[in-house]
Amino acid sequence: MRFRDRPTVVYLVLVRTDALRKLVPPFPVPTVPDFTALALARREDLRTWSLHLLATHVLIGGATRRGKGSVLWSMVRALAGGVSSGLVRLWVIDPKGGMEFAMGRPMFARFACKSFEAMADLLDEAVTVMRERQTRLAGVVRVHTPTVDDPLVVVVIDEMAALTAYLQDSELKKRIANSLGLLLSQGAGVGVLVVAALQDPRKDVLPFRDLFPTRIALGLTEESQVDMVLGDGARNRGALADQMPRWAKGVGYVILDGTPDPMRVRFSYLSDDHIRAMAEEHPAPAHAADILAQVGRETTPEPERASVPRQVARPLLPKSLLDALNPKSDTPEEDA
């Protein structure tokens, strides 16, 4: 380095407390969301971290009670202006029976929370939307531009392992896996995106983990899980998600654009009152049913299972042997 190029002033910053210790309040709702810069979190340098959502899929990995809901609701809030204007359609799957997302139901063009058949139908219909757009846009554009007439479809899935690993119905499980594989491999370019959260990022739980270009790691339980979520070498570069303190709910690591080094951020926290107010102020428009959607109900009702009649217990021995062992007693009445 030449002498004249050497710096004359050096700034030394001494960190006395954790900059992410305080809760991050919800960010303002933009009237028109910028899909290339959705404000979701605060960085350690107190600047805002923004998510580039356009033409990508997002995977959120984190142990239970580590703040996955903060990430998902922060994203929903950043998209709320587009939801009410018709620029965005939120199709939400909540396998926990609606415990996480039921409060925001007015914002969702599609919502499935009880029936796994409804969840499979939702994903199948997302594939139908994707196929239609591929046919219409092929040779015209390479990346879909959201408009009110042709909105961005964001499929939000909480606890994804309930669909890919823990579901007992093998046929439904296969259906869901096929639809997810198609959406993750082909849907980003035509504006059908998947945002999924899960606790266990292993391959046998989520076989198509590598199809998520954008990943966020919250508090995890094992060292190996950090690289599973963020990519090989992420932990060695500073993403110590397995050493997250208990207070750090909603704190996680993201990969900044243009650099392999992870950045620690804290996502905004939305209380129940915030969510109710947001859902009331930014409901999905009535015409949200134009893309195989209908606000406020599932595609397929909860299936009615016929009761199985109980079989009468049969004796272990054949009837002929029972008759031989229990002969009818000769009585005077029978002789008469």
Side-chain angles (χ1 to χ4, degrees), residues 55-57 137 141-145 183 185-193:
T56 191
H57 305 293
L137 300 177
V141 295
R142 290 187 298 169
V143 178
H144 170 265
T145 299
L183 291 173
S185 60
Q186 304 177 30
V190 293
V192 183
L193 313 180

Side-chain angles (χ1 to χ4, degrees), residues 57-68:
H57 305 293
V58 182
L59 176 65
I60 305 158
T64 182
R65 311 303 299 171
R66 287 298 186 173
K68 294 187 293 296

